[in-house]
Amino acid sequence: MFFRKKAEYSDFEAVALPHLNDLYRTAVHLVRDRTEAHDLVQEAYLNAWKAFDRFEPGTNCRAWLFKILINEVRHYRRRWFTSKVVPAGEQSFEETLTFEPPIPESIQDEDVLAALDEIPREFREIVLLADVQEFAYKEIADMLGIPVGTVMSRLSRGRKQLRVKLADYASAAGIGRKLEEGA
């Protein structure tokens, strides 16, 4: 029994561990907290290990792991929303603050990631899975349990919102003016 488990673990390690960094990066963007993302990826890997006997060799392990991660993120959000309580004093203080974002000198990776974080969650998930992780529409639909048409429309809307956000960053950085002046 021990040897069988050891062999299973090496099989699991060989097919699952190469995707660890991709899962972590995606989790960070989905929950916006590195510590929580780390915990969620660990939970996803633990659940994947427990269910590894149901994994069919030769199928897309990466998609299987992402589906497990997406489910973990959904469970996390349910727990977070039901337990999140803001004392009345803190809530009114937050409402009185006004935030003025700094004007960037040029668009950087952080700006793109910030713009991605500003689009709604249901679009951000699809944009991350399609454009960053390069999953096919059908794979995303299977992972999220939604129709392929919904994936396509959310991706289109998410990309459009991302373009608008990045256009704001570009104009604040003067990039649009530089292009117009050079033309």
Side-chain angles (χ1 to χ4, degrees), residues 43-120:
E43 273 303 308
Y45 268 85
L46 179 62
N47 287 337
W49 165 244
K50 289 177 184 176
F52 192 61
D53 60 324
R54 293 181 299 216
F55 174 72
E56 296 177 31
T59 61
N60 190 343
C61 182
R62 187 168 176 260
W64 181 68
L65 289 169
F66 269 86
K67 184 172 186 168
I68 294 170
L69 176 67
I70 295 295
N71 287 331
E72 284 301 316
V73 169
R74 288 179 176 167
H75 292 299
Y76 163 78
R77 285 188 179 129
R78 274 194 290 268
R79 288 189 309 266
W80 189 84
F81 282 120
T82 58
S83 68
K84 185 76 172 168
V85 177
V86 177
E90 287 182 33
Q91 187 174 13
S92 62
F93 177 71
E94 288 177 4
E95 291 170 359
T96 61
L97 295 176
T98 57
F99 173 74
E100 294 184 28
I103 298 174
E105 293 295 317
S106 63
I107 294 182
Q108 299 179 2
D109 290 344
E110 294 83 25
D111 299 326
V112 175
L113 296 175
L116 183 63
D117 284 344
E118 289 177 13
I119 65 174

Side-chain angles (χ1 to χ4, degrees), residues 30-54:
L30 292 175
V31 297
R32 300 178 183 173
D33 182 316
R34 291 183 181 280
T35 304
E36 288 298 330
H38 186 267
D39 292 346
L40 288 168
V41 171
Q42 282 186 334
E43 273 303 308
Y45 268 85
L46 179 62
N47 287 337
W49 165 244
K50 289 177 184 176
F52 192 61
D53 60 324
R54 293 181 299 216

Side-chain angles (χ1 to χ4, degrees), residues 8 84 108 117 126 132 135 141 144 166 173:
E8 283 178 16
K84 185 76 172 168
Q108 299 179 2
D117 284 344
I126 306 262
V132 177
F135 282 109
L144 300 177
L166 291 174

Side-chain angles (χ1 to χ4, degrees), residues 16-26 41-42 45 65:
L17 287 183
H19 308 294
L20 184 64
N21 290 334
D22 289 341
L23 284 164
Y24 176 71
R25 278 192 299 275
T26 302
V41 171
Q42 282 186 334
Y45 268 85
L65 289 169

